[in-house]
Amino acid sequence: MSPSISITRRSSLYSLPLVVALSLVGSVPALAQNAAWFGLNVPSGLGDPHQPVVDVSAVNPAPASVPAGEEGYADLRGAAILPMVQSIVDFSIQSRVAGEKSWGRVTGFPAAKATLEWTAQQFRDAGLTEVAVQEYDGTGAMWWPQNWEAKVLGNAAFGAGSMDVVLGSALPNGGSEIPGGTLTAPLAFAGHVDDPLPTTDLTGKVAVQLLTPAGGAYSERGATRDRSQQLMAKGAVAVLNVVRQTGNMHVRDFANCNGPCFNLGTDDGEFLMQAIEKAAQSGVVEQLQIQLSLQASALTGLKGHNAMGIVRGRSTENIIVNAHADGWFDAAGDNADGLAVLIAMARHFARPENMPERTLVFVASGGHHSSGLNGPANFVSMNPALTASSVLALNLEHIAQFRVVPGDWNVESTEQPMGFGISNASPFLTDLTRRGVERYGFRLNPDIGTDTPGDLGGYRPLNIPMVQAIHSGPLYHTSGDVFGTISVQGLERAARFYVHFVEGVANATRAEIAPQ
């Protein structure tokens, strides 16, 4: 059997230094080519990015638990919340229809502002007071890609009829630039992100590296960025990250690789790696080239927006309930589900019979995904008197997505489990959380920690306890984060859990919330 470059993680040749594998392949006679692209299946593009890339047809989570006495809480029913998720996602879809290639509810752009204006109207309709959309200025510049393409160039050496192949899932990473807008270079497979750097010469080549996230791509940020920088230092003119997950999704993350870097979805990536292998076997790997184009700029003068509304309680002390409104792509689980539950909670507490002991400040924040436009930090600075009376900040984020199992990509009939953080480890808040999980079946991991990353950082200057549940599952920051992956039962579980939690905090003493 002729030796070849393998893209299978467990193969013996894969573990060889790339220079050795290439030297072995170089001794193989060119193969006769009777079909286009070595007979490989050519990927069909991004497909419909508003439909699930996983099979959700048989997913049916258990109904939400409704304790006696709470049957009448109509605002908290999943069936009442789900249409709001769709309305929020629709703002993202409209941005794509309008021609935004980097679509979504991105702060600084019209879709995000429209989402927050819609949210403010939901607050008004619910009867909240002091409703406002507050505008603030961005700081610094935000890198923004307007247009791009990754095109593998056809060549008769790869088989008759081998036409150019556009890799539809290609997405440029933050900070990427191509002087002159276009580069064309040969391809070189550079191994897995976990492998030692290849010893082969990468000068003037586009390096292709593979990563296989154990969960979401979030966990691979550091390793992928660092290795990309090292490949660039070895002479690569660009890096393509093949994110082996499922389908052909856009995948974000892995910014700042010291050169132009793009992420590829699974289908595009598998085709590209197989084409490199086949071209090497045939002795034509130097003829296999890719053309990358990118138009990106540093945007300044952007405006961010927060929507706020208040439910006055019996006390002037308040609890901040936050959910970020912006998101990449359709952003159903990051964070249309959290925003929809925020609105449901506002409706619930605005009813006279549900008046809380402490005042509730509902904030739909911007800037979670846009540099220099952090919404919570601006909310604090713009509302000093209000935030000075705050006793706790609660953040709703990524709270009702189906559980997707990496590897086989099956979808379970439950929600993605979340990590729960209580910044000050208050025993009262910890016990309140555990009682809520038992009461409503909200999907939290067993251990409760103190880590509260993300949006809550903007509230840190208030020096108050901060609480949130969050996950970074397999669909995190991908175009696969769509409406069809949201659990209607999970929305209800989340809404009921958080109402119970807020009621507990509203009635607690300061010493219980923030013990000394």
Side-chain angles (χ1 to χ4, degrees):
M1 178 181 293
S2 299
S4 65
I5 296 177
S6 174
I7 61 172
T8 303
R9 280 292 287 138
R10 298 300 181 186
S11 74
S12 58
L13 185 56
Y14 186 97
S15 61
L16 289 173
L18 191 59
V19 67
V20 176
L22 284 171
S23 66
L24 289 173
V25 171
S27 65
V28 180
L31 302 178
Q33 303 303 328
N34 298 316
W37 284 107
F38 312 105
L40 299 173
N41 291 324
V42 176
S44 56
L46 193 62
D48 184 348
H50 309 303
Q51 295 299 316
V53 296
V54 289
D55 184 5
V56 298
S57 60
V59 180
N60 187 28
S65 175
V66 182
E70 298 182 15
E71 301 89 347
Y73 293 171
D75 297 310
L76 308 183
R77 293 171 184 163
I81 303 172
L82 189 64
M84 290 192 289
V85 177
Q86 181 68 78
S87 294
I88 297 164
V89 168
D90 282 346
F91 287 108
S92 287
I93 295 174
Q94 290 165 20
S95 81
R96 183 166 181 258
V97 172
E100 290 288 349
K101 197 165 182 180
S102 293
W103 80 91
R105 305 181 302 277
V106 183
T107 300
F109 290 84
K113 184 179 180 182
T115 304
L116 287 158
E117 290 173 340
W118 173 86
T119 301
Q121 189 59 51
Q122 305 309 305
F123 288 165
R124 293 187 191 96
D125 292 345
L128 275 66
T129 62
E130 300 170 65
V131 175
V133 176
Q134 297 182 336
E135 182 176 275
Y136 55 89
D137 295 328
T139 59
M142 185 174 77
W143 175 87
W144 186 254
Q146 288 94 357
N147 200 15
W148 65 87
E149 186 177 73
K151 180 166 61 180
V152 189
L153 301 181
N155 190 312
F158 314 144
S162 296
M163 308 298 289
D164 294 349
V165 177
V166 174
L167 304 177
S169 68
L171 187 73
N173 288 343
S176 293
E177 294 181 359
I178 296 178
T182 304
L183 71 82
T184 302
L187 290 153
F189 184 62
H192 194 276
V193 166
D194 296 335
D195 290 342
L197 290 175
T199 57
T200 187
D201 184 13
L202 295 177
T203 303
K205 296 181 179 179
V206 174
V208 180
Q209 65 176 349
L210 173 66
L211 57 138
T212 51
Y218 175 86
S219 63
E220 310 300 318
R221 281 180 176 175
T224 304
R225 179 199 62 236
D226 293 348
R227 196 170 188 271
S228 296
Q229 292 176 353
Q230 293 165 357
L231 293 171
M232 297 296 294
K234 284 180 61 67
V237 294
V239 175
L240 302 180
N241 300 309
V242 176
V243 187
R244 183 177 276 167
Q245 292 185 307
T246 189
N248 216 27
M249 299 184 289
H250 280 327
V251 182
R252 293 196 62 86
D253 293 320
F254 321 136
N256 303 319
C257 72
N258 293 346
C261 290
F262 290 70
N263 292 340
L264 298 178
T266 301
D267 293 349
D268 283 343
E270 295 291 348
F271 166 78
L272 191 62
M273 292 189 297
Q274 290 172 18
I276 295 172
E277 179 183 13
K278 293 291 188 181
Q281 291 173 349
S282 304
V284 294
V285 70
E286 291 298 328
Q287 298 181 55
L288 182 60
Q289 297 194 329
I290 191 165
Q291 183 180 88
L292 301 175
S293 63
L294 173 62
Q295 297 173 10
S297 57
L299 303 181
T300 58
L302 297 177
K303 303 287 187 180
H305 301 85
N306 295 319
M308 64 166 289
I310 295 176
V311 173
R312 289 290 173 187
R314 297 177 181 87
S315 167
T316 57
E317 292 183 337
N318 67 66
I319 300 165
I320 297 171
V321 186
N322 184 92
H324 74 79
D326 58 329
W328 297 116
F329 314 120
D330 285 11
D334 182 19
N335 186 40
D337 56 355
L339 180 58
V341 169
L342 178 96
I343 295 169
M345 293 173 65
R347 290 175 174 174
H348 171 84
F349 282 113
R351 296 185 183 279
E353 64 271 24
N354 298 326
M355 180 181 180
E357 184 63 33
R358 283 189 170 95
T359 292
L360 305 182
V361 179
F362 290 93
V363 182
S365 59
H368 182 76
H369 296 96
S370 301
S371 58
L373 287 160
N374 183 267
N378 280 281
F379 181 79
V380 170
S381 65
M382 295 172 71
N383 302 277
L386 183 63
T387 56
S389 300
S390 302
V391 300
L392 180 139
L394 170 66
N395 187 46
L396 313 184
E397 191 165 356
H398 311 184
I399 57 178
Q401 196 157 56
F402 291 136
R403 163 75 168 136
V404 179
V405 182
D408 60 18
W409 290 87
N410 287 329
V411 184
E412 297 181 346
S413 289
T414 186
E415 293 82 47
Q416 182 76 28
M418 291 159 283
F420 201 78
I422 301 172
S423 65
N424 68 345
S426 157
F428 168 79
L429 296 176
T430 301
D431 181 65
L432 179 62
T433 300
R434 296 198 186 283
R435 283 188 281 118
V437 168
E438 182 177 354
R439 186 177 179 89
Y440 301 103
F442 191 45
R443 285 278 287 167
L444 297 184
N445 292 323
D447 296 331
I448 297 175
T450 57
D451 194 22
T452 53
D455 267 352
L456 284 173
Y459 294 110
R460 195 157 285 120
L462 299 177
N463 196 31
I464 57 176
M466 299 183 296
V467 177
Q468 74 178 2
I470 195 170
H471 73 81
S472 55
L475 301 179
Y476 175 78
H477 284 188
T478 73
S479 58
D481 181 8
V482 299
F483 176 74
T485 66
I486 300 301
S487 166
V488 61
Q489 300 90 342
L491 291 169
E492 183 165 344
R493 272 186 270 277
R496 293 184 181 277
F497 169 85
Y498 279 121
V499 162
H500 178 263
F501 185 89
V502 168
E503 285 176 340
V505 175
N507 289 289
T509 66
R510 290 290 294 267
E512 289 175 317
I513 298 169
Q516 301 299 315

